Amino acid sequence: MSATSSDTKNGAGNHRSLLRRLPSVGRLLEAAASEPDLAAFGQPLLTETLRQTLDAARESILDGRLQEAPAEAALLAEAGERLQGLVAPTLHPVINATGVIIHTNLGRATLSRAAQAAVAAAASAYSTLEFDLPSGKRGSRSLHAEGLIRQVTGAEGGMVANNTAAALLLMLSALCQGREVIISRGQLIEIGGGFRIPDVLAQSGVRLVEVGTTNRTHLRDYEAAITPDTAAILVAHHSNFKIVGFATEPPLADLAQLAHDHDLLLLYDQGSGCLLETSAFGLDHEPTVGEGLAAGCHLVAFSGDKLLGGPQAGILAGRASLVDICKKHPLARAVRADKLCLAGLSATLTHYLKEEALAEIPIWRLIGRTGEELAETVQRWTAYLDKRGIPGNALTATSTVGGGSLPGTTLPAVVLVLDHPHVDALAARLRRESPHVIGRIQDGRLHFDPRTVFPDQEAALLQAITNAWRAFPD
C-alpha cells in the first residue's frame, strides 16, 4: 500500500473519530435549557440553529479546518452568536459627521422633539386613526394632516401618501390615466435609487409627450404639443441637479396661463417640500410649495422628509376637487401613510403654523448654524483630542444641504481633520463604534463636520474617535 493511500485512510479514520465525538442535537438542547440566553428563543428555532451549528462543525472537520472536535460549550456559544445575528437590528442610530444635512443614506430629516413625542404617542396606544369621536362612527385618516396642509400652504385641499413618488404616481393615475401628459426633456430626471420620472409616468398609464431639449424648452414647445388627448402639463423641479449656461424654461405662471387657456391641468413635482425662504441663510433660492400654488399649479407634490423636516411622506396640495379624486382612486389605499407618519407630519406642520420651524425643526437649526459656532465647536474638539495625544486640526470647508435639495449650493463650514496613515481603516473602525460614526474622507484625510453633529452627540463622538485612534499601534 502506498504512503498516500495510507495517509488518506488515516485521515478518513481521524475524521470519523472526530465526528463521533460531536454531541447530538438532543444533548445540546438539554444543555441549552440551562442557558437563559439560548432558551429564550424557543425550541423550534433553537433546535434548527443547533442543527446548523453541528452541520458547520462537521463540514469543518471533513475539510480539515478543525483538528479537534469542538467542545459542547463552544458549540453552544456559536449557536448563541447565530441566534443573536438573527435578531440583531439592522437599522442603527449613527452620528452623522459628513456635513450633509439631509443625508438620504442616513435617513434624511431628523424629527423635532414634538414630532418624536407625537410618533411615540401614536405607537403606544390605540388612536383615532379612522374613528370619529363625536359620532362614534368610522372616520377618515386624511383629516389628521389635511387641515394643517391647507393652513400652511394656502391650498384648498391636501392629502398624504407614503412618499413623493407615490404621490406623483397617484396624481397621474387618478387624473390623467390613458391620456397625454407633456413634460420638458430637461425634467426627465432620475431620483435616488435609480428610479426615473419616465418610469413612474409609465406606471401611471399616461402617454408621455416630451418637448424641448435638455437645456432649453420654450412655452411654444408646450403649446405645439397640445392635442385633444392632452390631459396635463407636468413640471418636475430640478431638485437634485442644476442646468447652467445656455438654458431656459418657461416660468410656472406662464405654463399656468397656457394650461388655463387650453383647459389643461398644470401639475408640479416640487420635490423638496420647502416652505421657507432659503436665501436668508446664504443659500440659493429654493422654489417653495406656496410659490407653486400661487403661480397657478392645480396640484403640487412634495416630500415630507427633505426641507419640510418631517417623516417620510409624499404630500399633495392644491385644488380640493382634484385632491378628492385622488383620495377616491383605488391606488390611494395602496400608497396611504400610516399613523406614525401622520402623527409626525402633523407635529412638524404645526411648527410652521406656529412660526417656530427655525427653532424647533432640526434641519433648519443645522442650516442656521453660524461659522463662529462651528469654529468654536471644532476648537473644543481639538483641545479634547490633544489632551489624549490625538492631533486634530481645524480646516475651512463646506457643508451641503443634500437629499435632492439645493444642488450645487454649499454652506461655509469649519471641520475637524485627522491625518492618519491608515485613514480608510480608521473610518471603518469608527463605523463599528457604538454609536456608529460616519465621517468624510477627503484628500486622504478624515473630516468631521460639526454642522450635522447634534450637541448631545459630541461626547460620544469624541470618545469614539479616541477609541478608534487607540486601536491602531503607533
Side-chain angles (χ1 to χ4, degrees):
M1 180 182 298
S2 68
T4 301
S5 298
S6 177
D7 291 343
T8 300
K9 287 187 175 181
N10 290 336
N14 186 50
H15 289 164
R16 286 193 295 271
S17 176
L18 292 178
L19 291 173
R20 283 194 295 268
R21 296 177 193 172
L22 290 174
S24 66
V25 172
R27 180 175 168 181
L28 287 177
L29 271 174
E30 290 178 5
S34 61
E35 300 283 346
D37 290 344
L38 294 177
F41 284 92
Q43 187 165 331
L45 179 58
L46 179 56
T47 300
E48 178 60 26
T49 304
L50 290 171
R51 184 175 288 113
Q52 292 172 359
T53 303
L54 285 169
D55 288 343
R58 291 188 187 98
E59 290 179 9
S60 296
I61 289 171
L62 291 171
D63 64 18
R65 283 179 291 145
L66 280 180
Q67 302 302 315
E68 294 289 340
E72 186 178 283
L75 291 168
L76 291 175
E78 183 180 340
E81 290 179 4
R82 288 172 177 263
L83 288 166
Q84 290 299 328
L86 290 174
V87 299
T90 56
L91 191 61
H92 303 278
V94 303
I95 295 177
N96 172 17
T98 66
V100 181
I101 297 170
I102 307 174
H103 199 306
T104 298
N105 296 346
L106 301 183
R108 288 190 179 168
T110 56
L111 299 182
S112 70
R113 290 181 180 176
Q116 294 174 41
V119 171
S124 62
Y126 292 107
S127 66
T128 56
L129 178 64
E130 292 184 358
F131 187 83
D132 180 63
L133 286 173
S135 67
K137 296 180 180 180
R138 180 168 185 161
S140 171
R141 71 175 57 202
S142 65
L143 66 87
H144 299 296
E146 182 177 353
L148 288 165
I149 293 170
R150 293 199 308 267
Q151 290 287 336
V152 169
T153 66
E156 290 181 0
M159 68 170 294
V160 185
N162 57 17
N163 62 26
T164 315
L168 181 60
L169 177 64
L170 174 62
M171 177 173 67
L172 293 169
S173 299
L175 303 176
C176 308
Q177 192 170 56
R179 299 184 66 192
E180 295 174 352
V181 172
I182 302 172
I183 187 171
S184 167
R185 287 187 174 90
Q187 297 170 8
L188 295 175
I189 62 176
E190 179 175 309
I191 55 180
F195 295 98
R196 296 177 173 181
I197 289 293
D199 297 335
V200 175
L201 296 179
Q203 289 299 314
S204 70
V206 306
R207 296 193 297 279
L208 190 64
V209 178
E210 303 173 19
V211 297
T213 63
T214 300
N215 61 318
R216 290 177 69 83
T217 302
H218 303 278
L219 190 66
R220 62 178 180 271
D221 296 320
Y222 288 94
E223 188 167 18
I226 295 172
T227 73
D229 209 25
T230 302
I233 295 170
L234 174 64
V235 177
H237 171 49
H238 302 162
S239 60
N240 62 355
F241 73 103
K242 182 182 291 187
I243 298 177
V244 297
F246 190 59
T248 187
E249 288 179 347
L252 283 174
D254 291 354
L255 288 172
Q257 185 61 53
L258 178 65
H260 176 79
D261 292 344
H262 293 270
D263 197 25
L264 304 176
L265 297 176
L266 178 60
L267 308 176
Y268 182 30
D269 177 11
Q270 189 272 344
S272 71
C274 186
L275 298 176
L276 301 177
E277 179 51 65
T278 54
S279 63
F281 300 91
L283 297 164
D284 290 346
H285 170 70
E286 173 74 0
T288 66
V289 174
E291 289 171 355
L293 292 167
C297 297
H298 294 90
L299 279 184
V300 179
F302 54 100
S303 176
D305 60 344
K306 294 183 179 180
L307 285 174
L308 187 69
Q312 177 180 297
I315 304 166
L316 290 177
R319 187 173 294 180
S321 59
L322 300 178
V323 172
D324 288 341
I325 293 172
C326 292
K327 288 180 184 177
K328 294 173 183 176
H329 191 273
L331 188 60
R333 184 175 181 84
V335 302
R336 69 184 184 181
D338 77 329
K339 62 183 179 182
L340 304 184
C341 168
L342 293 170
L345 180 61
S346 296
T348 303
L349 291 170
T350 298
H351 291 314
Y352 288 94
L353 189 62
K354 295 169 69 175
E355 297 186 349
E356 61 185 22
L358 294 178
E360 298 296 333
I361 295 178
I363 64 160
W364 289 109
R365 295 207 311 270
L366 301 184
I367 289 173
R369 284 186 169 175
T370 65
E372 293 79 6
E373 178 186 352
L374 299 176
E376 289 174 2
T377 300
V378 172
Q379 184 179 24
R380 189 168 60 251
W381 291 0
T382 55
Y384 176 95
L385 295 173
D386 184 63
K387 290 179 181 178
R388 287 151 182 82
I390 301 173
N393 297 296
L395 179 70
T396 301
T398 57
S399 309
T400 59
V401 175
S405 304
L406 293 162
T409 302
T410 60
L411 290 161
V414 179
V415 301
L416 167 68
V417 176
L418 295 181
D419 286 296
H420 195 276
H422 307 290
V423 65
D424 291 320
L426 179 62
R429 181 68 174 77
L430 280 162
R431 294 195 299 272
R432 296 194 299 271
E433 284 292 316
S434 180
H436 311 285
V437 175
I438 315 297
R440 183 177 78 237
I441 296 177
Q442 186 173 328
D443 300 326
R445 298 187 291 178
L446 194 51
H447 292 216
F448 302 88
D449 191 328
R451 185 180 295 278
T452 49
V453 177
F454 295 106
D456 61 0
Q457 295 177 323
E458 285 190 26
L461 169 67
L462 295 173
Q463 185 61 57
I465 292 173
T466 302
N467 293 342
W469 189 276
R470 290 174 176 172
F472 293 88
D474 292 338

